[in-house]
Amino acid sequence: MARKAAGSSPRKVHTSLSTLLLKNRSHRGFDPSFKVREDQLRRIVGVNCRIPSARNAQVLRFRMVLADEACKVLPHIRLGGALPELHLPAEGSEPNAFIVVCSTVPEDKWVDVDLGISAQSMLLQAVEIGLNGICIGAFDKAKIAESLGLEFEPLLILALGRGTDHIELVEIGEDENHSYYRENGVHYVPKVRLEEL
């Protein structure tokens, strides 16, 4: 109120990188009533105009998929490879928006470097605007390319929406089991403690 009376505008609160990283968990269940908008996907893809690229080649290309086309992607993806008995995503909790990441050149170590930087940057942007996501590497490339009419080979898919999973990180030693697991409705993600990294 004092700022308003003095004629100054309130300060914008910026979320710290640490907070964004903690919120940037891989969700495998999404709120079906929430529809991701095109402007949100464009903002997420837009980070690629500002991030590093190996040798500045900038070979990645992006296909945005909204709810009206989600049926072209859903049959060809798998989530939760370490929990096959759960058949994730559960019926009624499927994502309804995707970003398919493609490359204009054959995949190599430099393309993979760009892919990692791009995926993490886009997911952090998604979290900043109130969305959640997951990187999907388990999908039928040929069927995705055909169903979406892609010019370039798909490398990775980001599923996006408003996540419904309750996710907690668990510290482990480097020799302990790294597989994520679920207990009593909580999705636990083991992370090697700093001293052992």
Side-chain angles (χ1 to χ4, degrees), residues 98-144:
F98 303 90
I99 296 171
V100 181
V101 186
C102 304
S103 175
T104 61
V105 300
E107 189 173 3
D108 62 15
K109 68 178 181 178
W110 302 115
V111 172
D112 288 342
V113 166
D114 280 11
L115 189 60
I117 294 169
S118 173
Q120 178 71 341
S121 298
M122 288 194 290
L123 287 172
L124 287 171
Q125 179 65 79
V127 169
E128 186 188 58
I129 65 174
L131 301 178
N132 306 103
I134 184 172
C135 288
I136 305 170
F139 63 92
D140 188 319
K141 289 185 176 186
K143 288 185 177 173
I144 289 288

Short mmCIF file of all heavy atoms in Angstrom, two decimals, residues 98-144:
data_model
loop_
_atom_site.label_atom_id
_atom_site.label_comp_id
_atom_site.label_asym_id
_atom_site.label_seq_id
_atom_site.Cartn_x
_atom_site.Cartn_y
_atom_site.Cartn_z
N PHE A 98 1.61 -31.53 -26.51
CA PHE A 98 2.95 -32.09 -26.70
C PHE A 98 3.80 -31.13 -27.52
O PHE A 98 3.28 -30.34 -28.31
CB PHE A 98 2.89 -33.42 -27.46
CG PHE A 98 2.04 -34.46 -26.81
CD1 PHE A 98 0.70 -34.57 -27.11
CD2 PHE A 98 2.59 -35.34 -25.88
CE1 PHE A 98 -0.10 -35.54 -26.51
CE2 PHE A 98 1.80 -36.31 -25.27
CZ PHE A 98 0.45 -36.40 -25.58
N ILE A 99 5.10 -31.25 -27.34
CA ILE A 99 6.07 -30.63 -28.24
C ILE A 99 6.95 -31.75 -28.74
O ILE A 99 7.61 -32.43 -27.94
CB ILE A 99 6.91 -29.54 -27.54
CG1 ILE A 99 6.02 -28.39 -27.09
CG2 ILE A 99 8.02 -29.05 -28.48
CD1 ILE A 99 6.72 -27.37 -26.21
N VAL A 100 6.93 -31.98 -30.04
CA VAL A 100 7.76 -33.02 -30.65
C VAL A 100 9.03 -32.34 -31.14
O VAL A 100 8.97 -31.39 -31.93
CB VAL A 100 7.03 -33.72 -31.82
CG1 VAL A 100 7.91 -34.81 -32.40
CG2 VAL A 100 5.69 -34.29 -31.35
N VAL A 101 10.17 -32.82 -30.65
CA VAL A 101 11.46 -32.23 -31.01
C VAL A 101 12.08 -33.08 -32.12
O VAL A 101 12.23 -34.29 -31.97
CB VAL A 101 12.41 -32.16 -29.80
CG1 VAL A 101 13.68 -31.40 -30.17
CG2 VAL A 101 11.72 -31.51 -28.60
N CYS A 102 12.44 -32.42 -33.22
CA CYS A 102 13.02 -33.09 -34.38
C CYS A 102 14.39 -32.48 -34.68
O CYS A 102 14.75 -31.44 -34.13
CB CYS A 102 12.12 -32.92 -35.60
SG CYS A 102 10.43 -33.50 -35.36
N SER A 103 15.12 -33.11 -35.59
CA SER A 103 16.42 -32.58 -36.02
C SER A 103 16.49 -32.54 -37.53
O SER A 103 16.02 -33.45 -38.21
CB SER A 103 17.55 -33.46 -35.48
OG SER A 103 18.80 -33.01 -35.99
N THR A 104 17.10 -31.48 -38.05
CA THR A 104 17.26 -31.32 -39.49
C THR A 104 18.44 -32.14 -40.02
O THR A 104 18.63 -32.23 -41.23
CB THR A 104 17.50 -29.85 -39.86
OG1 THR A 104 18.69 -29.38 -39.22
CG2 THR A 104 16.32 -28.99 -39.45
N VAL A 105 19.24 -32.72 -39.11
CA VAL A 105 20.40 -33.53 -39.50
C VAL A 105 20.34 -34.86 -38.74
O VAL A 105 19.64 -34.97 -37.73
CB VAL A 105 21.73 -32.81 -39.19
CG1 VAL A 105 21.82 -31.50 -39.96
CG2 VAL A 105 21.90 -32.58 -37.69
N PRO A 106 21.06 -35.89 -39.19
CA PRO A 106 21.07 -37.15 -38.46
C PRO A 106 21.57 -36.96 -37.03
O PRO A 106 22.44 -36.13 -36.76
CB PRO A 106 22.04 -38.02 -39.27
CG PRO A 106 22.03 -37.43 -40.64
CD PRO A 106 21.84 -35.95 -40.44
N GLU A 107 21.00 -37.74 -36.12
CA GLU A 107 21.36 -37.63 -34.71
C GLU A 107 22.82 -38.02 -34.49
O GLU A 107 23.30 -39.01 -35.02
CB GLU A 107 20.45 -38.52 -33.86
CG GLU A 107 20.60 -38.29 -32.37
CD GLU A 107 19.56 -39.05 -31.56
OE1 GLU A 107 18.75 -39.80 -32.14
OE2 GLU A 107 19.56 -38.89 -30.33
N ASP A 108 23.54 -37.20 -33.73
CA ASP A 108 24.91 -37.49 -33.32
C ASP A 108 25.11 -36.89 -31.93
O ASP A 108 24.17 -36.37 -31.34
CB ASP A 108 25.93 -36.98 -34.34
CG ASP A 108 25.90 -35.46 -34.51
OD1 ASP A 108 25.31 -34.75 -33.65
OD2 ASP A 108 26.47 -34.96 -35.50
N LYS A 109 26.36 -36.91 -31.44
CA LYS A 109 26.57 -36.43 -30.06
C LYS A 109 26.27 -34.94 -29.93
O LYS A 109 25.82 -34.48 -28.88
CB LYS A 109 27.99 -36.74 -29.59
CG LYS A 109 29.09 -35.97 -30.29
CD LYS A 109 30.45 -36.33 -29.69
CE LYS A 109 31.56 -35.55 -30.36
NZ LYS A 109 32.87 -35.86 -29.75
N TRP A 110 26.49 -34.16 -30.99
CA TRP A 110 26.22 -32.73 -30.91
C TRP A 110 24.72 -32.45 -30.91
O TRP A 110 24.25 -31.56 -30.20
CB TRP A 110 26.92 -31.99 -32.06
CG TRP A 110 28.39 -32.22 -32.07
CD1 TRP A 110 29.13 -32.86 -33.02
CD2 TRP A 110 29.32 -31.85 -31.04
NE1 TRP A 110 30.45 -32.91 -32.66
CE2 TRP A 110 30.61 -32.29 -31.45
CE3 TRP A 110 29.21 -31.19 -29.82
CZ2 TRP A 110 31.75 -32.09 -30.69
CZ3 TRP A 110 30.35 -31.00 -29.06
CH2 TRP A 110 31.60 -31.44 -29.49
N VAL A 111 23.98 -33.21 -31.69
CA VAL A 111 22.52 -33.07 -31.68
C VAL A 111 22.00 -33.44 -30.29
O VAL A 111 21.11 -32.77 -29.74
CB VAL A 111 21.87 -33.95 -32.76
CG1 VAL A 111 20.34 -33.96 -32.63
CG2 VAL A 111 22.27 -33.47 -34.16
N ASP A 112 22.56 -34.48 -29.70
CA ASP A 112 22.13 -34.90 -28.37
C ASP A 112 22.44 -33.86 -27.30
O ASP A 112 21.67 -33.68 -26.35
CB ASP A 112 22.75 -36.25 -28.00
CG ASP A 112 22.14 -37.40 -28.79
OD1 ASP A 112 21.03 -37.23 -29.35
OD2 ASP A 112 22.78 -38.47 -28.86
N VAL A 113 23.58 -33.15 -27.46
CA VAL A 113 23.89 -32.06 -26.54
C VAL A 113 22.80 -31.00 -26.63
O VAL A 113 22.24 -30.55 -25.62
CB VAL A 113 25.28 -31.45 -26.85
CG1 VAL A 113 25.45 -30.11 -26.13
CG2 VAL A 113 26.39 -32.41 -26.45
N ASP A 114 22.46 -30.59 -27.86
CA ASP A 114 21.40 -29.60 -28.05
C ASP A 114 20.07 -30.09 -27.49
O ASP A 114 19.31 -29.32 -26.90
CB ASP A 114 21.23 -29.29 -29.54
CG ASP A 114 22.28 -28.31 -30.06
OD1 ASP A 114 23.25 -28.04 -29.33
OD2 ASP A 114 22.12 -27.83 -31.19
N LEU A 115 19.79 -31.36 -27.71
CA LEU A 115 18.52 -31.93 -27.26
C LEU A 115 18.38 -31.83 -25.75
O LEU A 115 17.32 -31.46 -25.23
CB LEU A 115 18.44 -33.39 -27.72
CG LEU A 115 17.12 -34.11 -27.55
CD1 LEU A 115 16.01 -33.41 -28.33
CD2 LEU A 115 17.25 -35.56 -28.00
N GLY A 116 19.44 -32.14 -25.02
CA GLY A 116 19.40 -32.05 -23.56
C GLY A 116 19.21 -30.63 -23.06
O GLY A 116 18.38 -30.37 -22.18
N ILE A 117 19.96 -29.71 -23.66
CA ILE A 117 19.84 -28.30 -23.26
C ILE A 117 18.43 -27.80 -23.55
O ILE A 117 17.80 -27.13 -22.73
CB ILE A 117 20.88 -27.43 -24.00
CG1 ILE A 117 22.30 -27.82 -23.56
CG2 ILE A 117 20.63 -25.95 -23.75
CD1 ILE A 117 23.39 -27.20 -24.42
N SER A 118 17.92 -28.13 -24.72
CA SER A 118 16.60 -27.67 -25.15
C SER A 118 15.50 -28.22 -24.26
O SER A 118 14.63 -27.48 -23.79
CB SER A 118 16.36 -28.08 -26.61
OG SER A 118 15.04 -27.78 -27.00
N ALA A 119 15.52 -29.53 -24.03
CA ALA A 119 14.46 -30.16 -23.25
C ALA A 119 14.40 -29.60 -21.83
O ALA A 119 13.32 -29.26 -21.34
CB ALA A 119 14.66 -31.68 -23.22
N GLN A 120 15.55 -29.49 -21.19
CA GLN A 120 15.57 -28.96 -19.82
C GLN A 120 15.10 -27.51 -19.79
O GLN A 120 14.33 -27.11 -18.92
CB GLN A 120 16.97 -29.10 -19.21
CG GLN A 120 17.10 -28.53 -17.81
CD GLN A 120 16.39 -29.33 -16.74
OE1 GLN A 120 15.50 -30.13 -17.00
NE2 GLN A 120 16.78 -29.12 -15.50
N SER A 121 15.56 -26.72 -20.75
CA SER A 121 15.17 -25.31 -20.78
C SER A 121 13.67 -25.17 -21.00
O SER A 121 13.01 -24.34 -20.36
CB SER A 121 15.93 -24.58 -21.89
OG SER A 121 17.33 -24.63 -21.65
N MET A 122 13.10 -25.97 -21.91
CA MET A 122 11.66 -25.88 -22.17
C MET A 122 10.86 -26.32 -20.95
O MET A 122 9.83 -25.71 -20.63
CB MET A 122 11.29 -26.70 -23.41
CG MET A 122 11.75 -26.06 -24.71
SD MET A 122 10.99 -26.79 -26.19
CE MET A 122 11.78 -28.40 -26.23
N LEU A 123 11.30 -27.37 -20.27
CA LEU A 123 10.57 -27.82 -19.08
C LEU A 123 10.63 -26.80 -17.95
O LEU A 123 9.66 -26.61 -17.23
CB LEU A 123 11.09 -29.19 -18.62
CG LEU A 123 10.70 -30.36 -19.52
CD1 LEU A 123 11.41 -31.63 -19.10
CD2 LEU A 123 9.18 -30.58 -19.53
N LEU A 124 11.78 -26.14 -17.81
CA LEU A 124 11.88 -25.08 -16.79
C LEU A 124 10.95 -23.92 -17.14
O LEU A 124 10.30 -23.35 -16.26
CB LEU A 124 13.32 -24.59 -16.66
CG LEU A 124 14.27 -25.57 -15.97
CD1 LEU A 124 15.71 -25.09 -16.10
CD2 LEU A 124 13.90 -25.78 -14.51
N GLN A 125 10.85 -23.58 -18.42
CA GLN A 125 9.92 -22.52 -18.83
C GLN A 125 8.48 -22.94 -18.56
O GLN A 125 7.66 -22.14 -18.10
CB GLN A 125 10.09 -22.21 -20.31
CG GLN A 125 9.15 -21.14 -20.83
CD GLN A 125 9.41 -19.78 -20.21
OE1 GLN A 125 10.33 -19.08 -20.60
NE2 GLN A 125 8.59 -19.41 -19.23
N ALA A 126 8.17 -24.21 -18.81
CA ALA A 126 6.83 -24.72 -18.54
C ALA A 126 6.49 -24.56 -17.06
O ALA A 126 5.39 -24.10 -16.71
CB ALA A 126 6.72 -26.18 -18.97
N VAL A 127 7.42 -24.93 -16.19
CA VAL A 127 7.18 -24.82 -14.75
C VAL A 127 6.99 -23.36 -14.35
O VAL A 127 6.11 -23.03 -13.56
CB VAL A 127 8.34 -25.46 -13.96
CG1 VAL A 127 8.25 -25.12 -12.48
CG2 VAL A 127 8.34 -26.96 -14.15
N GLU A 128 7.79 -22.47 -14.95
CA GLU A 128 7.67 -21.05 -14.60
C GLU A 128 6.29 -20.50 -14.93
O GLU A 128 5.78 -19.64 -14.21
CB GLU A 128 8.74 -20.24 -15.34
CG GLU A 128 8.74 -18.78 -14.91
CD GLU A 128 9.65 -17.92 -15.75
OE1 GLU A 128 9.45 -17.86 -16.98
OE2 GLU A 128 10.55 -17.29 -15.17
N ILE A 129 5.65 -21.01 -15.98
CA ILE A 129 4.32 -20.50 -16.33
C ILE A 129 3.19 -21.35 -15.75
O ILE A 129 2.04 -21.22 -16.14
CB ILE A 129 4.16 -20.32 -17.86
CG1 ILE A 129 4.24 -21.67 -18.60
CG2 ILE A 129 5.18 -19.35 -18.40
CD1 ILE A 129 3.95 -21.56 -20.09
N GLY A 130 3.54 -22.26 -14.83
CA GLY A 130 2.51 -23.01 -14.11
C GLY A 130 2.12 -24.34 -14.70
O GLY A 130 1.11 -24.92 -14.31
N LEU A 131 2.93 -24.85 -15.63
CA LEU A 131 2.65 -26.16 -16.22
C LEU A 131 3.64 -27.19 -15.71
O LEU A 131 4.60 -26.86 -15.03
CB LEU A 131 2.73 -26.08 -17.75
CG LEU A 131 1.79 -25.09 -18.43
CD1 LEU A 131 2.04 -25.10 -19.93
CD2 LEU A 131 0.35 -25.43 -18.13
N ASN A 132 3.39 -28.43 -16.04
CA ASN A 132 4.30 -29.53 -15.72
C ASN A 132 4.50 -30.34 -16.99
O ASN A 132 3.71 -30.25 -17.93
CB ASN A 132 3.72 -30.43 -14.63
CG ASN A 132 3.33 -29.66 -13.40
OD1 ASN A 132 2.17 -29.39 -13.16
ND2 ASN A 132 4.31 -29.27 -12.60
N GLY A 133 5.55 -31.14 -17.00
CA GLY A 133 5.80 -31.93 -18.19
C GLY A 133 6.64 -33.14 -17.92
O GLY A 133 7.01 -33.43 -16.78
N ILE A 134 6.95 -33.84 -18.99
CA ILE A 134 7.82 -35.01 -18.92
C ILE A 134 8.46 -35.20 -20.29
O ILE A 134 7.84 -34.94 -21.32
CB ILE A 134 7.03 -36.28 -18.51
CG1 ILE A 134 7.98 -37.47 -18.34
CG2 ILE A 134 5.91 -36.58 -19.48
CD1 ILE A 134 7.32 -38.71 -17.74
N CYS A 135 9.72 -35.61 -20.30
CA CYS A 135 10.41 -35.98 -21.54
C CYS A 135 10.07 -37.42 -21.86
O CYS A 135 10.19 -38.29 -20.99
CB CYS A 135 11.93 -35.88 -21.37
SG CYS A 135 12.55 -34.22 -21.27
N ILE A 136 9.68 -37.67 -23.10
CA ILE A 136 9.34 -39.03 -23.51
C ILE A 136 10.30 -39.48 -24.60
O ILE A 136 10.36 -38.88 -25.67
CB ILE A 136 7.89 -39.11 -24.05
CG1 ILE A 136 6.91 -38.57 -23.00
CG2 ILE A 136 7.54 -40.53 -24.45
CD1 ILE A 136 5.51 -38.39 -23.53
N GLY A 137 11.06 -40.52 -24.28
CA GLY A 137 11.97 -41.08 -25.27
C GLY A 137 11.45 -42.40 -25.82
O GLY A 137 11.93 -42.88 -26.85
N ALA A 138 10.46 -42.98 -25.12
CA ALA A 138 9.89 -44.27 -25.54
C ALA A 138 8.65 -44.03 -26.40
O ALA A 138 7.56 -43.84 -25.88
CB ALA A 138 9.55 -45.12 -24.32
N PHE A 139 8.86 -43.98 -27.71
CA PHE A 139 7.73 -43.80 -28.62
C PHE A 139 8.10 -44.36 -29.99
O PHE A 139 9.26 -44.56 -30.31
CB PHE A 139 7.32 -42.32 -28.72
CG PHE A 139 8.39 -41.40 -29.28
CD1 PHE A 139 8.43 -41.13 -30.63
CD2 PHE A 139 9.33 -40.83 -28.44
CE1 PHE A 139 9.40 -40.27 -31.15
CE2 PHE A 139 10.29 -39.97 -28.95
CZ PHE A 139 10.33 -39.70 -30.31
N ASP A 140 7.09 -44.62 -30.77
CA ASP A 140 7.27 -45.15 -32.11
C ASP A 140 7.55 -43.98 -33.06
O ASP A 140 6.63 -43.26 -33.46
CB ASP A 140 6.02 -45.92 -32.54
CG ASP A 140 6.21 -46.67 -33.84
OD1 ASP A 140 6.83 -46.10 -34.77
OD2 ASP A 140 5.73 -47.81 -33.93
N LYS A 141 8.81 -43.81 -33.43
CA LYS A 141 9.22 -42.66 -34.25
C LYS A 141 8.51 -42.63 -35.60
O LYS A 141 8.05 -41.59 -36.05
CB LYS A 141 10.74 -42.67 -34.46
CG LYS A 141 11.53 -42.33 -33.21
CD LYS A 141 13.01 -42.24 -33.53
CE LYS A 141 13.80 -41.81 -32.31
NZ LYS A 141 15.21 -41.58 -32.61
N ALA A 142 8.44 -43.77 -36.23
CA ALA A 142 7.84 -43.82 -37.56
C ALA A 142 6.36 -43.45 -37.51
O ALA A 142 5.87 -42.68 -38.36
CB ALA A 142 8.02 -45.21 -38.17
N LYS A 143 5.65 -43.96 -36.52
CA LYS A 143 4.22 -43.68 -36.42
C LYS A 143 3.95 -42.23 -36.04
O LYS A 143 3.00 -41.61 -36.52
CB LYS A 143 3.55 -44.64 -35.46
CG LYS A 143 3.45 -46.05 -36.04
CD LYS A 143 2.69 -46.98 -35.16
CE LYS A 143 2.58 -48.35 -35.84
NZ LYS A 143 1.99 -49.35 -34.96
N ILE A 144 4.79 -41.67 -35.16
CA ILE A 144 4.63 -40.26 -34.79
C ILE A 144 4.89 -39.39 -36.02
O ILE A 144 4.13 -38.46 -36.31
CB ILE A 144 5.60 -39.87 -33.65
CG1 ILE A 144 5.15 -40.51 -32.32
CG2 ILE A 144 5.72 -38.36 -33.51
CD1 ILE A 144 3.91 -39.92 -31.71
#
